[in-house]
Amino acid sequence: MSPEAIKQDFESALIKHFSFKARLRSFLHGNGTEEGPLRDPEQCGLGVWIKERREGAYHHLPEMSELDRQHRLIHKQANRLMDLRLANRGEEALAGFGEVQALADALTTLLQTIEAKLRTAGAQ
Protein backbone atom coordinates (compact mmCIF):
# COMPACT_ATOMS: atom_id res chain seq x y z
CA MET A 1 0.00 0.00 0.00
CA SER A 2 1.39 3.40 -0.94
CA PRO A 3 2.01 6.05 1.71
CA GLU A 4 -0.84 8.11 0.22
CA ALA A 5 -3.24 5.16 0.36
CA ILE A 6 -2.24 4.51 3.97
CA LYS A 7 -2.83 8.19 4.80
CA GLN A 8 -6.32 8.05 3.26
CA ASP A 9 -7.12 4.79 5.04
CA PHE A 10 -6.22 6.25 8.42
CA GLU A 11 -8.07 9.49 7.67
CA SER A 12 -11.20 7.39 7.13
CA ALA A 13 -10.58 5.69 10.50
CA LEU A 14 -10.26 9.07 12.23
CA ILE A 15 -13.49 10.30 10.63
CA LYS A 16 -15.28 7.19 11.92
CA HIS A 17 -13.81 7.83 15.37
CA PHE A 18 -14.82 11.51 15.42
CA SER A 19 -18.30 10.60 14.20
CA PHE A 20 -18.68 8.17 17.11
CA LYS A 21 -17.73 10.86 19.62
CA ALA A 22 -20.17 13.34 18.06
CA ARG A 23 -23.03 10.82 18.08
CA LEU A 24 -22.30 9.87 21.69
CA ARG A 25 -22.21 13.51 22.76
CA SER A 26 -25.51 14.07 20.95
CA PHE A 27 -27.07 11.08 22.72
CA LEU A 28 -25.87 12.34 26.09
CA HIS A 29 -27.53 15.69 25.36
CA GLY A 30 -30.82 13.89 24.84
CA ASN A 31 -30.90 13.66 21.09
CA GLY A 32 -31.98 10.17 20.11
CA THR A 33 -29.72 8.14 17.89
CA GLU A 34 -29.32 4.49 17.07
CA GLU A 35 -27.79 2.93 20.15
CA GLY A 36 -26.26 -0.19 18.56
CA PRO A 37 -23.19 1.43 16.98
CA LEU A 38 -22.58 3.46 20.14
CA ARG A 39 -22.89 0.48 22.46
CA ASP A 40 -21.35 -2.32 20.44
CA PRO A 41 -17.72 -2.05 19.25
CA GLU A 42 -18.51 -4.65 16.58
CA GLN A 43 -21.24 -2.45 15.03
CA CYS A 44 -19.38 0.84 15.12
CA GLY A 45 -17.69 2.06 11.94
CA LEU A 46 -14.25 2.18 13.55
CA GLY A 47 -14.78 -1.28 15.04
CA VAL A 48 -15.50 -2.67 11.57
CA TRP A 49 -12.43 -0.86 10.22
CA ILE A 50 -10.22 -2.29 12.99
CA LYS A 51 -11.52 -5.84 12.49
CA GLU A 52 -10.97 -5.71 8.72
CA ARG A 53 -7.42 -4.34 9.10
CA ARG A 54 -6.48 -6.75 11.92
CA GLU A 55 -7.50 -9.66 9.71
CA GLY A 56 -6.05 -8.09 6.57
CA ALA A 57 -3.48 -5.51 5.61
CA TYR A 58 -2.26 -4.66 9.12
CA HIS A 59 -2.41 -8.11 10.73
CA HIS A 60 1.36 -8.06 11.31
CA LEU A 61 1.28 -5.00 13.56
CA PRO A 62 1.18 -5.67 17.32
CA GLU A 63 -0.27 -2.18 17.84
CA MET A 64 -3.53 -3.31 16.25
CA SER A 65 -4.33 -5.40 19.33
CA GLU A 66 -3.84 -2.36 21.53
CA LEU A 67 -6.00 -0.30 19.17
CA ASP A 68 -8.78 -2.87 19.48
CA ARG A 69 -8.40 -2.90 23.28
CA GLN A 70 -8.61 0.90 23.53
CA HIS A 71 -11.57 0.97 21.18
CA ARG A 72 -13.45 -1.52 23.36
CA LEU A 73 -12.67 0.55 26.47
CA ILE A 74 -14.28 3.60 24.88
CA HIS A 75 -17.42 1.59 24.16
CA LYS A 76 -17.49 0.28 27.72
CA GLN A 77 -17.37 3.84 29.00
CA ALA A 78 -19.95 4.97 26.42
CA ASN A 79 -22.32 2.24 27.63
CA ARG A 80 -21.95 3.42 31.20
CA LEU A 81 -22.71 7.02 30.25
CA MET A 82 -25.63 6.05 28.03
CA ASP A 83 -27.13 4.02 30.88
CA LEU A 84 -26.79 7.05 33.14
CA ARG A 85 -28.57 9.21 30.54
CA LEU A 86 -31.38 6.68 30.18
CA ALA A 87 -31.73 6.60 33.98
CA ASN A 88 -32.43 10.37 33.92
CA ARG A 89 -28.96 11.15 35.23
CA GLY A 90 -28.03 13.30 32.25
CA GLU A 91 -25.78 15.74 34.04
CA GLU A 92 -23.74 12.91 35.51
CA ALA A 93 -23.51 11.31 32.07
CA LEU A 94 -22.31 14.56 30.50
CA ALA A 95 -19.79 15.05 33.29
CA GLY A 96 -18.31 11.66 32.46
CA PHE A 97 -17.74 12.55 28.82
CA GLY A 98 -14.27 13.84 29.72
CA GLU A 99 -13.23 10.26 30.44
CA VAL A 100 -14.38 9.23 26.96
CA GLN A 101 -12.49 12.18 25.51
CA ALA A 102 -9.28 11.13 27.26
CA LEU A 103 -9.64 7.57 25.94
CA ALA A 104 -10.48 8.96 22.50
CA ASP A 105 -7.38 11.16 22.50
CA ALA A 106 -5.21 8.14 23.33
CA LEU A 107 -6.86 6.16 20.55
CA THR A 108 -6.26 9.02 18.08
CA THR A 109 -2.60 9.12 19.06
CA LEU A 110 -2.31 5.36 18.57
CA LEU A 111 -3.93 5.58 15.13
CA GLN A 112 -1.43 8.30 14.18
CA THR A 113 1.47 6.21 15.49
CA ILE A 114 0.39 3.15 13.50
CA GLU A 115 -0.10 5.25 10.38
CA ALA A 116 3.36 6.80 10.71
CA LYS A 117 4.91 3.36 11.21
CA LEU A 118 3.21 2.00 8.09
CA ARG A 119 4.02 5.04 5.96
CA THR A 120 7.68 4.93 7.04
CA ALA A 121 7.89 1.22 6.25
CA GLY A 122 6.19 1.78 2.90
CA ALA A 123 8.62 4.56 1.96
CA GLN A 124 11.63 2.32 2.43
Side-chain angles (χ1 to χ4, degrees), residues 9 31 34 38 43-45 62 64 73 75 77 92 106 120 122:
D9 193 32
N31 301 318
E34 186 181 355
L38 291 175
Q43 288 184 37
C44 138
M64 291 301 291
L73 278 174
H75 280 273
Q77 183 66 9
E92 190 178 343
T120 301

Side-chain angles (χ1 to χ4, degrees), residues 1-68:
M1 195 180 272
S2 73
E4 186 58 34
I6 292 167
K7 179 178 187 271
Q8 289 177 353
D9 193 32
F10 277 82
E11 284 175 354
S12 77
L14 285 170
I15 289 167
K16 292 172 192 332
H17 179 50
F18 296 144
S19 173
F20 166 83
K21 288 190 314 184
R23 285 182 287 124
L24 177 60
R25 184 180 291 120
S26 180
F27 182 92
L28 297 179
H29 280 283
N31 301 318
T33 187
E34 186 181 355
E35 290 185 33
L38 291 175
R39 290 193 178 272
D40 184 354
E42 303 288 330
Q43 288 184 37
C44 138
L46 181 60
V48 171
W49 185 94
I50 291 169
K51 183 178 192 291
E52 289 173 355
R53 286 2 174 242
R54 279 188 76 188
E55 295 173 356
Y58 310 145
H59 71 276
H60 62 287
L61 295 172
E63 293 90 348
M64 291 301 291
S65 292
E66 178 61 15
L67 182 64
D68 186 48

Side-chain angles (χ1 to χ4, degrees), residues 75-102:
H75 280 273
K76 183 177 180 181
Q77 183 66 9
N79 273 293
R80 188 180 75 78
L81 298 179
M82 291 171 71
D83 289 344
L84 286 171
R85 176 74 179 108
L86 293 172
N88 294 318
R89 294 166 60 189
E91 287 190 27
E92 190 178 343
L94 285 170
F97 190 78
E99 297 169 42
V100 170
Q101 188 61 51

